[in-house]
């Protein structure tokens, strides 16, 4: 805890990387996944609103070429005050993140030395992340260098072979399902991505690249609500969560009146 406070009191800067260049194959349909509306607003815009906290100074968003114009117009209209950069999407999510990392490494806004530069990576397809989790993962990353959000698994997990035969049932008490956000000090995530590229290693999250580089990664326990919108059912689940969710996510309009005694002159 002491170390935590000492490190956190040092000046650090945070930018967000948002991979948004997927094709949304599992969602299907006419409208691209991230432009589908969720309770009246595009999923991508909802996610960016969730990330719109003052600690985060700039957004680096990767988008696929065919949607670049439409998405950049939509995003710039919604966030006129924000510093936003668009990078090309890559073949895999990891490539899209790398393109944003390259752009972030050249950012002219850094005022602190590289170890104090924090990069928060968050999937565009997770609009339900809450502020507290963002802050916690940023805090942990500034202490350990790498941090990710996850939740303990609720189901029993089995390792199953190609022949459908069970190989193993790992102890559930130490199994977590991993989400984003994940946050890193810049040199740690940069080295991890460069190494992965050099070895043609593809990971399914960014922490795994850091793990294989030999750096410690600290987990933050998040929320089961922070789902990744992948299939049409997820859109319906997310809509229910949003409906329940507090004041920030829903705009409500009503009418009312009040009555005052008439006074002289008024
Ligand atoms: N993503 C990306 N570049 C890719 C693939 C994915 O930036 N080449 C992004 C997606 O836009 C999404 C996040 O990574 O915000 C997580 O990916 P996923 O949920 O799998 O979305 P898609 O890849 O779009 O969906 P699918 O796998 O069903 O095609
Ligand atoms: Mg995908």
């Amino acid at each position: 805890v002491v170390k935590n406070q000492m490190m956190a009191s040092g000046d650090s800067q945070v930018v967000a990387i948002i991979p948004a260049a997927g094709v949304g194959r599992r969602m299907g349909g006419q409208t691209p996944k991230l432009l589908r509306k969720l309770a009246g607003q595009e999923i991508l815009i909802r996610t960016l609103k969730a990330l719109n906290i003052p600690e985060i100074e700039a957004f680096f968003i990767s988008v696929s070429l065919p949607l670049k114009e439409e998405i950049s117009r939509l995003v710039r209209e919604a966030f006129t005050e924000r510093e936003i950069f668009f990078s090309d999407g890559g073949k895999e999510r990891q490539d899209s993140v790398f393109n944003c990392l390259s752009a972030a490494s050249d950012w002219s806004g850094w005022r602190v030395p590289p170890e104090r530069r924090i990069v928060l990576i968050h999937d565009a397809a997770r609009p339900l992340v809450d502020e507290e989790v963002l802050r916690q993962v940023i805090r942990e990353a500034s202490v350990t260098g790498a941090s990710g959000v996850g939740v303990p698994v609720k189901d029993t997990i089995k390792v199953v072979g190609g022949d459908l035969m069970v190989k193993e049932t790992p102890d559930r008490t130490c199994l977590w399902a991993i989400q984003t956000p994940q946050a890193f000090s810049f040199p740690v995530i940069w080295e991890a991505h460069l190494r992965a590229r050099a070895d043609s290693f593809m990971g399914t999250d960014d922490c795994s690249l850091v793990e294989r580089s030999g750096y410690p990664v600290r987990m933050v326990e998040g929320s089961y609500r922070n789902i990744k919108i992948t299939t049409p059912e997820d859109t319906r689940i997310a809509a229910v969560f949003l409906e329940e969710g507090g004041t920030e996510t829903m705009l409500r309009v009503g009418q009312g009146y009040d009555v005052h005694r008439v006074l002289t002159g008024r």
Side-chain angles (χ1 to χ4, degrees), residues 84-109:
I84 302 170
F85 302 92
F86 294 93
S87 299
D88 292 338
K91 190 167 172 291
E92 302 294 335
R93 177 189 179 281
Q94 186 176 315
D95 304 312
S96 298
V97 170
F98 181 78
N99 291 347
C100 287
L101 278 173
S102 303
S105 79
D106 295 335
W107 186 46
S108 61

Side-chain angles (χ1 to χ4, degrees), residues 124-228:
R126 288 188 196 268
L128 293 166
V129 63
D130 60 67
E131 276 187 32
E132 192 39 48
V133 158
L134 294 173
R135 296 207 161 97
Q136 240 175 298
V137 83
I138 289 168
R139 211 178 302 132
E140 289 301 339
S142 58
V143 178
T144 46
S147 176
V149 170
V151 284
V153 298
K154 295 189 275 192
D155 295 317
T156 295
I157 307 288
K158 289 189 192 291
V159 181
V160 180
D163 56 359
L164 298 185
M165 297 307 284
V166 172
K167 291 185 170 162
E168 199 192 334
T169 304
D171 176 13
R172 192 177 64 190
T173 55
C174 55
L175 292 176
W176 284 46
I178 302 312
Q179 308 172 341
T180 67
Q182 300 187 346
F184 309 91
S185 102
F186 189 84
V188 169
I189 191 65
W190 184 240
E191 183 189 327
H193 266 265
L194 288 179
R195 279 195 190 203
R197 287 172 82 78
D199 309 340
S200 305
F201 174 84
M202 275 292 165
T204 50
D205 75 332
D206 296 284
C207 283
S208 63
L209 310 189
V210 171
E211 292 154 34
R212 70 186 288 282
S213 294
Y215 291 105
V217 175
R218 169 107 172 169
M219 291 307 302
V220 164
E221 187 165 352
S223 150
Y224 292 103
R225 291 167 44 113
N226 181 25
I227 60 169
K228 181 161 71 68

Side-chain angles (χ1 to χ4, degrees), residues 18-28 33-34 43-44 47 61-64 88-97 100 122-126 180 204 228-231:
I18 303 108
V23 294
R25 189 183 44 77
R26 286 169 288 179
M27 180 63 77
K33 176 167 93 172
L34 299 173
I43 293 171
L44 174 63
T47 302
I61 307 172
S62 61
V63 288
S64 64
D88 292 338
K91 190 167 172 291
E92 302 294 335
R93 177 189 179 281
Q94 186 176 315
D95 304 312
S96 298
V97 170
C100 287
H122 185 63
D123 288 333
R126 288 188 196 268
T180 67
T204 50
K228 181 161 71 68
I229 301 202
T230 309
T231 59

